[in-house]
Amino acid sequence: KTGDVNGSVDLNLNNDQTESRSITEIFEIGLPMKNESVTSYPVYAHQEMSVQGFQMSKNLKEIHNEFVSIRSGQINFSLSNYHLKDQNLNISWSTNNAMIVSLNTVEPLFYLEFKTSCLQESKFEQNNFMNNEIYLEDKIAKLDFVFNSTETIEHSDLIGKNEPNPWINSTSFSLNLLERQSVQLDIYDIQGRKVYTKIKHLNPGEFLWTVNRNELTGTGLYHYYFTIGDIRISDKMILIK
């Protein structure tokens, strides 16, 4: 199979692979994480899989000037694995010596990094430079990217910001629900790893949601996301010594 970022390198796959392009595997682009210099979009596997490589090409349209880099996660990326030409972002990655690697759904596969929070589904379109496909242990499948479609806001009357912040031993969020709701809290560390997730089924009224120090993995900056129906509320907090 030929198709690296410059269209010039053969990708060595196992000869026993069966081409099954009626099957589609999904990479999910998660919610943006901001720091001082870039905004990182973590990319996750939709299900656990064993792979030898993948290739994709996307048209970034008017946001191509905002693209910075691809940062490694489970998959180790170098500059040779991606190339931005005109508005097209071309990515090609394969394992050494056609080895099989296992990818999980918890840790990001890699991060798409931009100068600002600009990445949207309408600005991440398929083009014809190469096929989007993934090379699994025993077959070749189509590869598609989906966006987390939940609306994300930074503040809501439903949930107050955590207090105290920064915090040492524990911190609490005040919730004010108008009806019975299922509320999910996910917390990610600075590397984009999910370190906390809980779902509570709460009755109408006021509720205090407390997170304790021993429920996280150490000090530092965390991103948290509350999900209530189609609304996701996000912000940052800092756990200190």
Side-chain angles (χ1 to χ4, degrees), residues 49-88:
M49 59 182 72
S50 297
V51 305
Q52 288 178 275
F54 73 93
Q55 67 175 30
M56 55 83 71
S57 183
K58 289 290 187 177
N59 188 334
L60 298 182
K61 293 186 159 183
E62 66 269 21
I63 67 169
H64 69 280
N65 287 327
E66 299 292 315
F67 176 76
V68 176
S69 65
I70 296 179
R71 178 161 57 91
S72 299
Q74 291 186 69
I75 295 174
N76 186 28
F77 270 88
S78 68
L79 290 173
S80 63
N81 294 122
Y82 63 92
H83 177 64
L84 184 65
K85 183 177 181 180
D86 298 326
Q87 297 181 349
N88 298 316

Side-chain angles (χ1 to χ4, degrees), residues 39-233:
T39 297
S40 299
Y41 291 83
V43 179
Y44 298 90
H46 188 68
Q47 64 179 1
E48 293 183 352
M49 59 182 72
S50 297
V51 305
Q52 288 178 275
F54 73 93
Q55 67 175 30
M56 55 83 71
S57 183
K58 289 290 187 177
N59 188 334
L60 298 182
K61 293 186 159 183
E62 66 269 21
I63 67 169
H64 69 280
N65 287 327
E66 299 292 315
F67 176 76
V68 176
S69 65
I70 296 179
R71 178 161 57 91
S72 299
Q74 291 186 69
I75 295 174
N76 186 28
F77 270 88
S78 68
L79 290 173
S80 63
N81 294 122
Y82 63 92
H83 177 64
L84 184 65
K85 183 177 181 180
D86 298 326
Q87 297 181 349
N88 298 316
L89 176 61
N90 307 312
I91 304 173
S92 181
W93 169 84
S94 62
T95 60
N96 295 326
N97 301 318
M99 292 177 59
I100 303 296
V101 298
S102 297
L103 303 177
N104 63 59
T105 60
V106 178
E107 301 171 273
L109 304 175
F110 55 90
Y111 301 82
L112 298 170
E113 296 191 323
F114 291 82
K115 297 175 185 177
T116 60
S117 301
C118 60
L119 188 58
Q120 302 173 16
E121 191 165 6
S122 61
K123 299 175 181 178
F124 197 66
E125 294 186 348
Q126 172 69 14
N127 60 40
N128 296 321
F129 183 81
M130 64 174 74
N131 293 327
N132 283 6
E133 49 192 27
I134 187 166
Y135 311 108
L136 304 173
E137 185 174 10
D138 57 353
K139 57 182 173 288
I140 301 172
K142 295 178 182 178
L143 178 62
D144 199 5
F145 287 74
V146 299
F147 280 72
N148 189 311
S149 59
T150 307
E151 178 187 5
T152 303
I153 58 179
E154 292 188 350
H155 180 68
S156 171
D157 292 336
L158 296 174
I159 299 175
K161 294 187 177 183
N162 64 298
E163 295 182 358
N165 189 27
W167 55 283
I168 299 174
N169 294 317
S170 65
T171 189
S172 298
F173 303 86
S174 59
L175 285 72
N176 187 10
L177 303 179
L178 301 179
E179 59 185 10
R180 181 171 173 80
Q181 295 271 14
S182 294
V183 182
Q184 179 170 333
L185 173 59
D186 297 306
I187 301 176
Y188 296 80
D189 66 15
I190 192 63
Q191 299 300 321
R193 296 181 295 244
K194 184 186 291 187
V195 297
Y196 175 106
T197 184
K198 283 187 180 179
I199 299 175
K200 297 184 178 183
H201 305 286
L202 303 177
N203 291 319
E206 296 182 355
F207 181 83
L208 203 63
W209 190 312
T210 299
V211 178
N212 295 308
R213 182 187 191 92
N214 60 7
E215 295 179 283
L216 302 183
T217 56
T219 58
L221 177 68
Y222 290 90
H223 296 259
Y224 65 81
Y225 300 88
F226 275 98
T227 304
I228 306 175
D230 293 330
I231 297 175
R232 179 166 285 188
I233 300 159

Side-chain angles (χ1 to χ4, degrees), residues 2-18:
T2 301
D4 78 323
V5 292
N6 297 309
S8 60
V9 175
D10 290 332
L11 181 60
N12 296 319
L13 300 177
N14 191 316
N15 291 333
D16 295 332
Q17 280 182 316
T18 302

